Each structure stands twice: as structure tokens, then as C-alpha cells.
């Protein structure tokens, strides 16, 4: 099936990277058909509902029916038929389309269906205007309200500097975390990263140098029915405690509201990289956030795969970095080579 992922606009390169990483984590082969600012299309048999439950920085997962110039897409719409189902048409434009309602009526008139239902249809046909026009059938929507319900201010224990759940989920996906994987956060803080990893079915382990953070993390995870192996310790002791893990996903301390117990950031991050190298299984990933990419120095056995910067405010930029432990399988788990973007679907 050809799918089209409608990405959110918080940071489009990060959103695209998250979607690709989630596809890789599925373990299913896929081929990228096209990528533009807010859209990513791929050919894959990954379940759309599964993908929608994974992603944080997206809005919809659609079946891509046709794409190209508007006239060609309208011709393709004539072949749509839902004789036993209700439907509606929605137009979404990233180019400032001013005739959305007219286009919705025009496409609706071409579709064979039981009847139009604008409130709760069985099928939603979508026309997306980007660099080309894309005719789609909605398969699944990302439940963004669920992420909002897990925001830091909604938790019983939090610090204001905690990641938004959508960004924490993106960080987990960048780590190529699979259901049943053992995931370590050695700077677990209030538990936002472990919460998102646990909700997609990972087994979670966390540590923090502060006992109050560890207990607060345990409380947060329990609120969502999750358990974790947690302990208060310096990061240098983590390898003795956890053994081998499938992924390390973490947002270390670096801002004014956090503490490193007086340790320079360069030293702390170097030790974090060394721990990741020691505990990660070969071929698996460390995804982490750094305030300065220069803090991620070359470490034997680790390979920097990708990085994405997100400006928070004038004095803080978060850079999401993905690092792979040497050995094991290819970085592009499940991915087949990208093909050239065709002008329209056959």
C-alpha cells in the first residue's frame, strides 16, 4: 500500500526523521516515494493504525490514491466508490488554497457513495495541496489530545523544563524502539521519556543522580499503569546495574533549572556516551538531546547517524542526535532504497 504521512509543523525535518525511524522500527520493508516539507509518502505494508499510535509529530496517516496536477487527480477521483458507506471530502492546503469548499463539492460530486456525512463519515477522502496535489483516503489520525493530557503540568510530579510528550515520543522513535525492547534513560528526571517508551510497549529502566527525581518518575509512570526498574545513582555506575539494553533514550541535564552536581557538561556528556557504548547491543541506537552538537564528540564504537536542531528560545537550542553502536544490522532496518518521486500514481 502507498501511505502518505501528514507531518506536523513544529519542526518538519525532525518530524520526517521520526516517521522514517518509526517505519524502520516496524521491521517491515518500505520504499520512500516522495518527501516534501509537510508530507512523506512510502510504499509499505506497515499497519496504519500502528503507525498513528507511534507518531508524535504528525496529524494523519492516509492511503495515497493518486498524485500530480489537479486535473489528473480529479480524474482519479472519478474511480472512487463507497456504495455501502458514507463519506466526506476535506481539502488541506499548504499553499494557501482559497477555494477549499468549491473543491470539496467538486470532488464529492465525482464519488459514488451511499451518502455524504459531514459529522461522522465511514470514509474521509482528502485532497492535499503541496508541491503537487495528493488524493488520499484517511486511514488513521494521531491522537494529539492524548499527548496534551500527558503534558508536564498534568502530571503529579514535574519540572517546567520537561520535554513536551510529543517531543519525548519523537526522541523514543528516533531510537528505533520496538515493542518488548529494553530501554534505558540514565537521566530519567520526571519520567517523560520513559513514559512514552512504556506506552509503546517497551520495558523501561531509569536512573538519576537525585533520589527525589527517581521517586517522582516512579509516581508518574504508575499514574499511567507502567512499572520500571528505577534507581538513584551516578551515571558511571549504570553499566553495572543494567547490563545490555536495546536502546538508550535520554534528555540529559543542561539548562539553568537542572543540576549536574558541579560537573562540566563536556565531562558529563562524555561519560554518557561511554555508558551508552558499554550497555547498547551492537547495531542499536542512542537518541539524546544536547544543547550543543559539539558536546557529542567522537567515541570509539559509536557512529553519529543524524541530528536535528530545535530552537526553544534565545538562549536554548535543543539538538536531537541519533548515535548507533557499532556492529549488528544495518542502520536502515527494514528500509529499501528510495525511488525517484513519480509525477503521479499509475
Amino acid at each position: 500500500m502507498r501511505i502518505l504521512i501528514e507531518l506536523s509543523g513544529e519542526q518538519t525535518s525532525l518530524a520526517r526523521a521520526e516517521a522514517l525511524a518509526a517505519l524502520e522500527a516496524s521491521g517491515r520493508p518500505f520504499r520512500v516515494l516522495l518527501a516534501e516539507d509537510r508530507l512523506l509518502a512510502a510504499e509499505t505494508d506497515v499497519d496504519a493504525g500502528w503507525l498513528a499510535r507511534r507518531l508524535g509529530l504528525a496529524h494523519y496517516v492516509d492511503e495515497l490514491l493518486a498524485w500530480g496536477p489537479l486535473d489528473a487527480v480529479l480524474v482519479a477521483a472519478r474511480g472512487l466508490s463507497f456504495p455501502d458507506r458514507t463519506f466526506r471530502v476535506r481539502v488541506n492546503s499548504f499553499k494557501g488554497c482559497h477555494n477549499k469548499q468549491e473543491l470539496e463539492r467538486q470532488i464529492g460530486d465525482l464519488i459514488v457513495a451511499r451518502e455524504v456525512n459531514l459529522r461522522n463519515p465511514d470514509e474521509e477522502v482528502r485532497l492535499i495541496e503541496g508541491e503537487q496535489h495528493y488524493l488520499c483516503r484517511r486511514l488513521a489520525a494521531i491522537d494529539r489530545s492524548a499527548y496534551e493530557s500527558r503534558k508536564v503540568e498534568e502530571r503529579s510530579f514535574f519540572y517546567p523544563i520537561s520535554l513536551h510528550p510529543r517531543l519525548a515520543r519523537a526522541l523514543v522513535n528516533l531510537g528505533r524502539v520496538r515493542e518488548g525492547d529494553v530501554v534505558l534513560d540514565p537521566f530519567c528526571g520526571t519520567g517523560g521519556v520513559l513514559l512514552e517508551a512504556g506506552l509503546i510497549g517497551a520495558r523501561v529502566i531509569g536512573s538519576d543522580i537525585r533520589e527525589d527525581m527517581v521517586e517522582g518518575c516512579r509516581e508518574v509512570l504508575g499514574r499511567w499503569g507502567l512499572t520500571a526498574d528505577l534507581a538513584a545513582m551516578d551515571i558511571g555506575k549504570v553499566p553495572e546495574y543494567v547490563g545490555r539494553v536495546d536502546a538508550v533514550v535520554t534528555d540529559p541535564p543542561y539548562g539553568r533549572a537542572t543540576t549536574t552536581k558541579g560537573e562540566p557538561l563536556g565531562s558529563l556528556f562524555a561519560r554518557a556516551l561511554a555508558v551508552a557504548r558499554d550497555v547498547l547491543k551492537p547495531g542499536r541506537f542512542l537518541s539524546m538531546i544536547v544543547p550543543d552538537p559539539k558536546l557529542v564528540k567522537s567515541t570509539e564504537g559509536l557512529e553519529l547517524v543524524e541530528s536535528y536542531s530545535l530552537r526553544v528560545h534565545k538562549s536554548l537550542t535543543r539538538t536531537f542526535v541519533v548515535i548507533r553502536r557499532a556492529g549488528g544490522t544495518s542502520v536502515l532496518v527494514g528500509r529499501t532504497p528510495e525511488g525517484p518521486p513519480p509525477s503521479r500514481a499509475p
Side-chain angles (χ1 to χ4, degrees), residues 10-86:
E10 288 97 334
Q11 213 279 14
T12 52
S13 61
L14 178 61
R16 186 181 308 113
E18 183 205 15
L20 289 169
L23 286 169
E24 290 173 20
S26 74
R28 306 299 302 169
F30 66 94
R31 182 169 66 96
V32 175
L33 298 175
L34 59 91
E36 59 177 76
D37 192 35
R38 296 280 299 276
L39 302 170
L40 175 70
E43 191 169 47
T44 180
D45 62 357
V46 171
D47 179 73
W50 177 89
L51 189 58
R53 291 189 294 272
R54 286 281 307 221
L55 295 177
L57 302 180
H59 291 285
Y60 298 105
V61 180
D62 306 326
E63 179 184 6
L64 179 57
L65 304 173
W67 66 101
L70 179 58
D71 289 347
V73 167
L74 292 177
V75 169
R78 293 181 182 277
L80 293 180
S81 177
F82 310 114
D84 300 319
R85 302 174 69 78
T86 62

Side-chain angles (χ1 to χ4, degrees), residues 130-172:
E131 294 177 9
Q132 304 181 75
H133 288 84
Y134 304 90
L135 183 68
C136 308
R137 180 173 69 93
R138 193 177 85 175
L139 299 177
I142 283 69
D143 187 358
R144 292 171 69 90
S145 64
Y147 290 103
E148 294 300 311
S149 73
R150 298 194 294 272
K151 287 194 304 186
V152 292
E153 56 266 33
E154 302 298 330
R155 304 176 199 161
S156 56
F157 181 84
F158 69 91
Y159 264 47
I161 47 85
S162 298
L163 281 177
H164 191 286
R166 289 198 300 272
L167 293 175
R169 176 61 66 87
L171 191 64
V172 170

Side-chain angles (χ1 to χ4, degrees), residues 171-297:
L171 191 64
V172 170
N173 280 321
L174 288 174
R176 279 70 170 173
V177 174
R178 305 166 184 167
E179 187 175 351
D181 275 357
V182 177
V183 176
L184 166 69
D185 182 354
F187 301 102
C188 66
T190 61
V193 169
L194 293 182
L195 175 59
E196 297 306 317
L199 288 173
I200 64 171
R203 296 166 52 203
V204 293
I205 302 174
S207 66
D208 199 282
I209 199 167
R210 290 176 50 176
E211 182 72 40
D212 62 327
M213 288 292 185
V214 170
E215 292 309 310
C217 176
R218 195 185 313 277
E219 182 179 328
V220 167
L221 295 177
R223 160 68 177 79
W224 274 272
L226 300 174
T227 59
D229 193 353
L230 303 173
M233 67 178 72
D234 178 76
I235 190 170
K237 296 182 179 180
V238 167
E240 304 172 18
Y241 180 74
V242 304
R244 290 286 189 176
V245 301
D246 299 296
V248 178
V249 184
T250 191
D251 180 22
Y254 46 77
R256 295 176 182 175
T258 61
T259 179
T260 64
K261 296 290 185 179
E263 182 175 2
L265 283 182
S267 170
L268 182 65
F269 277 73
R271 292 203 297 139
L273 290 174
V275 166
R277 179 193 58 203
D278 291 343
V279 303
L280 272 173
K281 294 177 181 177
R284 302 308 298 269
F285 295 88
L286 158 68
S287 58
M288 66 187 300
I289 298 177
V290 298
D292 183 350
K294 294 178 182 177
L295 291 168
V296 185
K297 297 180 180 178

